[in-house]
Amino acid sequence: VQLQASGGGLVQAGDSLRLSCAGSGRTFDNYAMGWSRQAPGKEREFVAVIKRRGGSTYYADSVKGRFTISRDLAKNTVYLQMDSLKPEDTAVYYCAADPVLHQIVVVTPEVWGQGTLVTVSS
């Protein structure tokens, strides 16, 4: 069971990026999927989560209105569209999956993907 994240990079403040996270080894239809991030010297924090089979989404206050999470069940993939990026969004972004949505919110999911680095310059 594996989650493979991609899409990170170096951008300027105000730019957009789209992260992708593809699952393999099992179907994640019955899993909530989401994203967390970890900035240098800080603890990992929740960013966004989407319920099993799509539908309801939840965001950290710091990204609400700028980031959008979505998923493609057929592709076993979750996305994070990041708009109006700020330097404080600089972090390694990790995708996550768990049958229980709350576990992603509290950053203790069953499955972690490897991180992808997002750097936002001012």
Side-chain angles (χ1 to χ4, degrees):
V1 178
Q2 191 175 10
L3 296 173
Q4 182 74 35
S6 62
L10 171 63
V11 297
Q12 293 187 330
D15 285 350
S16 298
L17 270 180
R18 188 193 195 206
L19 305 183
S20 300
C21 177
S24 61
R26 65 157 299 143
T27 178
F28 287 93
D29 289 10
N30 290 321
Y31 279 62
M33 297 186 77
W35 295 89
S36 295
R37 67 186 181 186
Q38 188 165 17
K42 296 187 177 181
E43 293 187 352
R44 195 169 299 189
E45 65 175 6
F46 164 73
V47 173
V49 64
I50 186 167
K51 276 190 171 180
R52 296 179 292 180
R53 301 186 179 275
S56 299
T57 57
Y58 303 92
Y59 300 91
D61 288 343
S62 58
V63 307
K64 203 172 294 182
R66 299 187 298 118
F67 290 11
T68 303
I69 188 171
S70 61
R71 68 190 296 175
D72 185 330
L73 294 174
K75 294 182 178 180
N76 221 21
T77 298
V78 64
Y79 305 97
L80 186 68
Q81 177 66 40
M82 306 186 294
D83 298 320
S84 302
L85 282 161
K86 304 175 180 180
E88 51 263 44
D89 294 318
T90 295
V92 177
Y93 284 72
Y94 298 89
C95 56
D98 196 286
V100 179
L101 182 144
H102 179 70
Q103 293 301 111
I104 294 176
V105 176
V106 297
V107 200
T108 55
E110 177 181 306
V111 184
W112 280 116
Q114 98 291 355
T116 185
L117 176 62
V118 173
T119 304
V120 185
S121 63
S122 57

